[in-house]
Amino acid sequence: MRLVKRYFALLLGGSLAIVLAAGLLFAQVEQRSYAPATLGQLQQPPPAALTEDSVYQVSAYPLYPPELAEGEGRTETESFCSMCHSTRFITMQPPLPAATWEAEVTKMRKTLGAPIPDASAAVIIKYLQAHYTPDTRKQ
Ligand code: HEC
C-alpha cells in the first residue's frame, strides 16, 4: 500500500512538473523571448537620412561626337548626316575611294530615305571626297 502511494505521488509530481515546464515555455513564446530572437528576420539598414535641402542633379550624359575634318561642306555633312546616326559612322570608316563615298550618300538618300536635297548632297559628297579618301584622309 505504501509503495502504491509513493508511486502515485511520483506520478503526480512528474505530471505537475511537465505541466509547469510547458506553461513556462508557452509563457516565454507568448512574450517572444524565445531564442534565437532574430530567427527569420531580415536585418536591414535604416534608410539614409536626407536633409531637406539636399540637391540632386543629373546632368547630361556625356557624348563625344567625333570632330569632322575642317573644311567646306562640314556644316551640311554634320547636320544632314547626323539625323539618324552619329557622324562617327563617317569617321569610323577606313579611307574609302571617292566613288564609294558618292555611292554611300546615294544609299543614305535613295535606299534609306535620307531627306537631303540634291544641292546639299553634292556639297556633302565633295566634302567627304576631299577629307575621307585614301589620298585625302589625314586623321
Ligand atoms: C535616313 C536616316 C539616315 C541618314 C539621314 C543618314 N544615314 Fe547613314 N545610315 C543609316 C542607316 C540605317 C545605316 C545602317 C545601314 C546598314 O546597316 O546597312 C547607315 C549607315 C551608314 C554608314 C555605314 C556604312 C553603311 O553603308 O552601312 C555610313 C558610312 C553612313 N551611314 C554615312 C552617312 C552619311 C555620309 C550621311 C549623310 C549624307 C548619312 N549616313 C545619313 C541611315 C541614315
Side-chain angles (χ1 to χ4, degrees):
M1 199 63 194
R2 258 188 143 190
L3 215 77
V4 174
K5 259 191 187 166
R6 205 179 259 179
Y7 175 74
F8 272 113
L10 256 174
L11 204 70
L12 200 74
S15 311
L16 246 166
I18 289 172
V19 167
L20 230 129
L24 271 176
L25 202 73
F26 181 72
Q28 263 196 335
V29 169
E30 279 291 284
Q31 287 172 11
R32 305 218 170 104
S33 64
Y34 50 91
T38 53
L39 194 72
Q41 280 184 10
L42 286 179
Q43 299 292 318
Q44 293 185 347
L50 302 174
T51 60
E52 273 184 29
D53 60 347
S54 295
V55 177
Y56 300 95
Q57 203 173 348
V58 179
S59 53
Y61 188 78
L63 292 173
Y64 307 102
E67 283 283 313
L68 289 179
E70 198 67 62
E72 207 187 317
R74 179 175 151 176
T75 314
E76 285 87 343
T77 308
E78 264 177 353
S79 46
F80 283 113
C81 302
S82 61
M83 279 193 287
C84 307
H85 52 66
S86 153
T87 50
R88 192 181 296 274
F89 271 50
I90 295 168
T91 56
M92 74 182 180
Q93 302 301 318
L96 297 174
T100 307
W101 278 119
E102 188 170 351
E104 202 56 54
V105 174
T106 304
K107 174 184 168 183
M108 295 305 133
R109 296 174 70 210
K110 307 286 185 222
T111 311
L112 300 171
I116 306 172
D118 287 346
S120 303
V123 171
I124 292 170
I125 291 168
K126 247 176 132 179
Y127 167 81
L128 294 171
Q129 291 173 341
H131 301 281
Y132 294 98
T133 64
D135 299 331
T136 58
R137 183 153 184 167
K138 292 192 189 80
Q139 18 131 347

